[in-house]
Amino acid sequence: MARCGYCAAETELYVSQTPICLTCSEQREQTRKPPPRDQQIRTVLVAGLVEASARSSAASQAFNNVMNQLPSGLPRPDGSQQIHNASADLAAARKELMRADNRLNDYLGRGIVPENLTPTG
Ligand SMILES: [Zn+2]
């Protein structure tokens, strides 16, 4: 009987011509295997959507704050700059949210993997 190349336990199991016991073989199997790619991609996409959603509602809140701080009637010149900034932030955040939503839907519905998640090389 051979001895496991990792823990020297007696074994009859060979992997790639190397004697290995069942315990070590199982351990190596587990550590070598990354989480399923599908699950990884989903996790990243869902996290992106959650993040974009949080940013969008923060921007929406900020926009409302600016609007509420202004006196009724015509906004003052500095007020209009604030509105402009807040509404640009809000538009950008909403666009990002829409993209995150599309990425997740494209993946779930049509199996399209976003470019930044495709393996390189
Ligand atoms: Zn072993």
Side-chain angles (χ1 to χ4, degrees):
M1 195 177 264
R3 286 191 178 273
C4 168
Y6 300 93
C7 70
E10 286 187 344
T11 182
E12 290 181 48
L13 184 67
Y14 281 77
V15 173
S16 318
Q17 321 252 311
T18 305
I20 184 171
C21 73
L22 198 60
T23 312
C24 289
S25 139
E26 275 173 0
Q27 270 173 8
R28 286 167 62 80
E29 195 67 31
Q30 275 167 12
T31 52
R32 193 174 28 161
K33 237 187 249 171
R37 178 148 176 73
D38 175 65
Q39 197 185 317
Q40 263 180 327
I41 294 172
R42 271 180 209 226
T43 305
V44 171
L45 290 176
V46 169
L49 181 59
V50 168
E51 201 181 305
S53 169
R55 263 207 303 270
S56 170
S57 40
S60 171
Q61 184 70 50
F63 180 76
N64 286 339
N65 286 348
V66 169
M67 296 307 277
N68 289 338
Q69 275 165 19
L70 296 172
S72 52
L74 286 174
R76 303 195 311 274
D78 62 327
S80 93
Q81 184 59 44
Q82 278 182 19
I83 294 175
H84 179 81
N85 292 344
S87 98
D89 282 352
L90 180 56
R94 283 196 173 148
K95 209 163 151 188
E96 189 50 46
L97 174 60
M98 223 157 63
R99 279 171 52 194
D101 196 40
N102 285 342
R103 278 198 293 264
L104 181 60
N105 284 334
D106 279 353
Y107 181 68
L108 294 181
R110 293 187 281 161
I112 298 172
V113 178
E115 271 177 36
N116 62 331
L117 292 181
T118 49
T120 49

